[in-house]
Amino acid sequence: MKIIILGNIGSGKTTILKKLNQNIHFDEVIIDEFRIKYGDNSLEGETLAREHFYSVIKENKNQFIECTGVGDVATKLYQQLKEYNEHILLLILLAHKEICLERIENRIWNIPFPFKDELLSSKVARIEKTLSLDAIKREFSQKGNLTIISKKNENPEDENSIIQEVISFINSNK
């Protein structure tokens, strides 16, 4: 089973993933960890990080997969997962851009990424707009064996509710 966790920068993707993995022990596939390991702020480093990210995503392996869900990384991920004959839970975390920006305000930004010139506020606004267009749902709706959960994640109560819902889903689909 694959649990794909998508959302804006600062929407809580990594936090939710880490808390889920305390209860459900799946492999973690997080794009930013590959950027840290293989990236160097160049296009070549980003390409290498992405290649390694895609290469560890394997059919019939229990995995949490995390990325924003927009752009080239997401498009390639969708194409790869469409070929898999296993159940996928698509968890889309929604948080208003102001909340995302507040969460990342004091974050140490140590992730090598070649497009750092774009202001973070512009990037967050662009990602929020793309997520609100339901493009992700349309892209994935062609995939069989798919469940989509789209939830607001703006406070600790939202986070706890999401974690419980995903754990229940996983346990009922074992």
Side-chain angles (χ1 to χ4, degrees), residues 10-100:
S11 65
K13 298 179 302 291
T14 303
T15 300
I16 294 279
L17 184 151
K18 297 293 184 185
K19 289 184 177 183
L20 282 168
N21 217 11
Q22 291 172 0
N23 297 289
I24 308 291
H25 304 288
F26 283 14
D27 291 346
E28 297 179 4
V29 184
I30 302 170
I31 185 65
D32 285 345
E33 290 181 2
F34 289 88
R35 287 181 172 134
I36 290 168
K37 187 170 183 178
Y38 299 103
D40 61 2
N41 292 316
S42 70
L43 287 174
E44 294 80 14
E46 176 67 9
T47 300
L48 184 62
R50 290 177 184 190
E51 288 171 0
H52 284 278
F53 172 74
Y54 304 129
S55 73
V56 299
I57 299 170
K58 303 289 184 193
E59 189 170 11
N60 297 317
K61 190 170 186 182
N62 291 330
Q63 294 175 307
F64 289 115
I65 301 170
E66 180 210 308
C67 64
T68 61
V70 300
D72 294 341
V73 172
T75 300
K76 170 87 173 162
L77 177 63
Y78 302 150
Q79 292 169 352
Q80 183 172 343
L81 293 173
K82 282 181 186 177
E83 303 301 318
Y84 293 177
N85 187 26
E86 66 183 302
H87 202 96
I88 294 175
L89 170 62
L90 181 62
L91 175 61
I92 304 170
L93 300 179
L94 304 171
H96 190 273
K97 66 183 171 189
E98 300 306 323
I99 291 173
C100 292

Side-chain angles (χ1 to χ4, degrees), residues 30 123 150 166:
I30 302 170
K123 190 176 296 202
S150 184
V166 172

Side-chain angles (χ1 to χ4, degrees), residues 63-142:
Q63 294 175 307
F64 289 115
I65 301 170
E66 180 210 308
C67 64
T68 61
V70 300
D72 294 341
V73 172
T75 300
K76 170 87 173 162
L77 177 63
Y78 302 150
Q79 292 169 352
Q80 183 172 343
L81 293 173
K82 282 181 186 177
E83 303 301 318
Y84 293 177
N85 187 26
E86 66 183 302
H87 202 96
I88 294 175
L89 170 62
L90 181 62
L91 175 61
I92 304 170
L93 300 179
L94 304 171
H96 190 273
K97 66 183 171 189
E98 300 306 323
I99 291 173
C100 292
L101 289 169
E102 183 180 310
R103 288 176 178 167
I104 61 179
E105 187 174 286
N106 296 316
R107 184 185 291 177
I108 296 172
W109 206 258
N110 63 342
I111 300 164
F113 189 67
F115 311 107
K116 285 194 172 187
D117 292 342
E118 182 180 5
L119 290 174
L120 202 50
S121 58
S122 298
K123 190 176 296 202
V124 167
R126 182 175 44 79
I127 293 169
E128 180 182 64
K129 182 177 181 181
T130 303
L131 290 171
S132 70
L133 295 174
D134 284 337
I136 295 168
K137 290 179 185 175
R138 281 194 304 278
E139 183 80 34
F140 261 97
S141 66
Q142 302 168 22

